[in-house]
Amino acid sequence: MQVVQTLESINVNTDDITVFHYFKDLITKNFSKVIGRKNKIFSFFEENEIPQRRYFLKVLDQKYRKNTNESIQNLDKAHFKTFRLNFKQNNMLKPIIFIKIDFIPRNILMKLSSNEKLFIVYVKNFFKDFKTEYNELNCTLSLEYKNENTLELFELFVNENEHLKYCIDFCINQEEYKQFRQSVKNKENLKWKFNALAKLFNNYFETLQCTPQNDLSEIRQKYLMLVKIYHPDFNQNKSKIEKFHAREQFEKIQIAYDNLKALYKNNA
C-alpha cells in the first residue's frame, strides 16, 4: 500500500483487492460527495463530515503502520483534502519519491528522498522557463521565483501525485507556502511602486549616468566618481567658466544622489 499526498489530495494506492474494498466501503458509507469507478474512488471535502474524515485518516494510518511499520506523516490537517483510492494490478505500483518543500526568499527548495537523475531532468524540463539548480550532494533542487507564473506552475506540479514512472509524496507546510506567496506578492507590489516612482526621478538617474536597474551601491560608486571630477577643490586652477560649470554639476550630482538614496531606502 502507498499513501501519497499533494497540496489538495491524499492518495491511497494498493494492489490488494481486499484492502481496496475495505476502504471503498468506508468511503461510500461515510461520505456524501463521492465519485466511484471500477478501480478508483474520489471523496471530496464536506465541512460537516470532518469527524468521519478524521476517523478515516486514523484507520488509514493504522493499516499503513501494520503494513509498513511506519506512520503516515502530516495527517493532522489532511482531513480537508480530496481522498483518492486507487487499485492497481500486482507489481504495477510505481516507485515512490518523497519531496520535502521549503521556502526561502524568492526560492522554492525541493529536497528529494533519492537522487533519481531521470526525474531531475524531468523536473528541470517541467520548469524550463524558470531558473532551477540541482545540488546532487544533498538531493535538493532550487526553483527561483520569477513571476506569478512560477507559482501557478509549481502548484500544477505538486497537485499531481504521479510524474513519469514515479509516485510523488509532497511534504508541504501550507502556512509557510501561504506566507511565501504573500511575501513575493508584497515584493512585486514594491517593485511596481518603485518603477512608477523611478520614472519621476529620471533626470536624477541621467545626472548620475545610471538607470533604475542599478542598485544603490552601484549608484553610490558612480556618484563618488563624478564627485571627484566636479568637486570645487579639484577645479581651483580652472577658468571662471570651468569652475562655474564644475560647481553647477557638483550641486546637481549632490541633489540627484540625495534624492535617489531616499527613493531606494523608502522602497527597500
Side-chain angles (χ1 to χ4, degrees):
M1 181 169 66
Q2 292 178 337
V3 177
V4 181
Q5 296 195 59
T6 70
L7 276 176
E8 296 182 349
S9 66
I10 180 164
N11 304 271
V12 181
N13 304 319
T14 181
D15 58 7
D16 187 329
I17 193 64
T18 303
V19 172
F20 176 78
H21 282 298
Y22 174 79
F23 284 116
K24 179 181 177 182
D25 289 342
L26 275 182
I27 289 173
T28 54
K29 289 178 181 178
N30 291 283
F31 307 126
S32 57
K33 294 178 66 175
V34 175
I35 297 177
R37 283 188 268 171
K38 183 177 180 181
N39 297 324
K40 189 174 292 187
I41 298 292
F42 295 81
S43 172
F44 301 98
F45 176 68
E46 273 287 323
E47 193 166 356
N48 60 1
E49 295 175 348
I50 290 178
Q52 300 98 296
R53 296 176 73 82
R54 289 189 183 278
Y55 174 75
F56 175 84
L57 293 173
K58 184 177 180 180
V59 172
L60 175 63
D61 188 48
Q62 290 173 346
K63 289 281 187 180
Y64 186 80
R65 272 189 282 125
K66 185 177 180 180
N67 186 261
T68 66
N69 293 320
E70 296 179 355
S71 292
I72 304 171
Q73 301 299 311
N74 303 304
L75 278 188
D76 53 332
K77 295 182 179 179
H79 59 273
F80 68 89
K81 296 184 178 183
T82 298
F83 298 160
R84 297 184 182 184
L85 175 65
N86 304 296
F87 174 71
K88 300 193 175 185
Q89 298 296 322
N90 290 331
N91 301 319
M92 292 299 289
L93 289 178
K94 296 183 178 183
I96 187 168
I97 297 177
F98 296 91
I99 301 181
K100 185 178 186 303
I101 308 292
D102 290 314
F103 305 96
I104 61 175
R106 300 195 70 81
N107 281 275
I108 298 171
L109 300 182
M110 307 181 199
K111 179 66 182 293
L112 281 67
S113 59
S114 59
N115 186 20
E116 298 286 342
K117 293 184 178 180
L118 177 63
F119 182 70
I120 299 304
V121 172
Y122 167 80
V123 175
K124 286 188 172 183
N125 188 60
F126 192 93
F127 295 102
K128 62 183 178 180
D129 295 327
F130 305 92
K131 183 179 178 181
T132 58
E133 292 184 5
Y134 182 65
N135 187 325
E136 193 170 338
L137 292 177
N138 57 20
C139 301
T140 300
L141 188 141
S142 172
L143 169 64
E144 183 177 302
Y145 177 84
K146 181 179 178 182
N147 50 40
E148 182 64 24
N149 293 334
T150 313
L151 298 184
E152 290 180 3
L153 194 61
F154 170 72
E155 291 182 9
L156 181 66
F157 177 68
V158 299
N159 281 329
E160 288 295 329
N161 72 304
E162 293 188 9
H163 293 274
L164 291 180
K165 62 177 183 177
Y166 305 99
C167 278
I168 312 300
D169 189 344
F170 294 100
C171 177
I172 303 174
N173 185 303
Q174 297 284 345
E175 189 60 33
E176 288 181 3
Y177 179 56
K178 181 179 178 181
Q179 291 174 2
F180 179 78
R181 281 200 67 122
Q182 190 60 48
S183 174
V184 293
K185 182 179 179 180
N186 291 343
K187 288 179 180 178
E188 288 294 319
N189 290 338
L190 281 174
K191 184 179 178 181
W192 179 87
K193 179 183 175 183
F194 174 83
N195 288 336
L197 288 171
K199 291 181 180 179
L200 302 176
F201 287 68
N202 190 53
N203 288 339
Y204 298 139
F205 282 107
E206 289 182 356
T207 298
L208 295 179
Q209 301 171 16
C210 296
T211 71
Q213 281 66 53
N214 295 114
D215 60 32
L216 187 55
S217 64
E218 292 171 325
I219 291 174
R220 177 172 171 76
Q221 288 176 5
K222 184 67 74 171
Y223 159 74
L224 293 174
M225 183 192 76
L226 293 172
V227 161
K228 288 181 180 179
I229 295 173
Y230 294 106
H231 196 285
D233 291 348
F234 299 121
N235 291 272
Q236 291 293 334
N237 299 324
K238 302 288 181 67
S239 67
K240 288 185 178 181
I241 293 178
E242 288 174 318
K243 285 195 286 187
F244 177 80
H245 174 71
R247 177 173 289 280
E248 187 178 50
Q249 287 299 113
F250 177 76
E251 290 175 354
K252 284 183 178 180
I253 292 165
Q254 195 66 54
I255 292 171
Y257 179 67
D258 288 343
N259 279 277
L260 290 183
K261 184 168 64 173
L263 171 67
Y264 276 77
K265 289 186 175 180
N266 291 334
N267 292 277

